[in-house]
Amino acid sequence: MSIQPSTTQPSSPIWQLSLNTQGEVVTDADSLRQSVELILLTEPGRDVMRPEFGIGLLSMIGQPIQHVAAELNRRGKAQFKEYLPQVTVTGYKVTPSELDPGQTTITVNWAVNGASASITVNV
């Protein structure tokens, strides 16, 4: 795998490399959305430079919904305050899948600078 140099500079002060498309940059709301997803899905200890980073949703697979919701709320407060302070989480919704009993849908509602957004992750 090689990284291709970019010839264009991001026009926004909020940007990062895209996790989904090599050589692409995501900016503004897409960058924040990607950061929220990273916090949700990263297992603590996986980022060697930030060993406390991540909520670790994948480690909660198979846990009772009430436990997942409580842990998500508890871990999320600390994670977003530390690593993404410009984002205010306004709520979490944890829903078991009706089609697949082993799958859970997690929706995080968040806001930044008065604009609201949400992200849904299936685990």
Side-chain angles (χ1 to χ4, degrees):
M1 173 167 78
S2 66
I3 298 175
Q4 301 297 318
S6 175
T7 57
T8 60
Q9 293 293 322
S11 60
S12 170
I14 302 173
W15 67 275
Q16 62 183 299
L17 293 175
S18 172
L19 294 176
N20 300 322
T21 308
Q22 184 177 350
E24 294 292 319
V25 171
V26 291
T27 60
D28 300 322
D30 291 331
S31 177
L32 293 172
R33 186 174 289 107
Q34 182 172 286
S35 295
V36 170
E37 186 174 4
L38 279 171
I39 289 173
L40 291 171
L41 296 177
T42 301
E43 292 295 322
R46 296 295 294 198
D47 185 332
V48 296
M49 299 303 286
R50 302 176 295 181
E52 294 85 24
F53 179 81
I55 292 175
L57 279 179
L58 299 176
S59 66
M60 296 184 216
I61 293 173
Q63 299 290 326
I65 296 297
Q66 297 82 2
H67 173 75
V68 173
E71 280 299 296
L72 181 62
N73 191 39
R74 184 183 69 78
R75 294 180 190 181
K77 282 182 184 178
Q79 290 292 309
F80 288 106
K81 181 179 179 183
E82 175 73 21
Y83 298 108
L84 208 55
Q86 67 270 42
V87 168
T88 302
V89 174
T90 57
Y92 300 99
K93 184 176 180 184
V94 181
T95 311
S97 172
E98 293 179 13
L99 301 175
D100 184 358
Q103 190 165 29
T104 302
T105 300
I106 299 174
T107 302
V108 180
N109 297 312
W110 52 281
V112 62
N113 296 332
S116 61
S118 68
I119 185 170
T120 300
V121 177
N122 293 309
V123 292

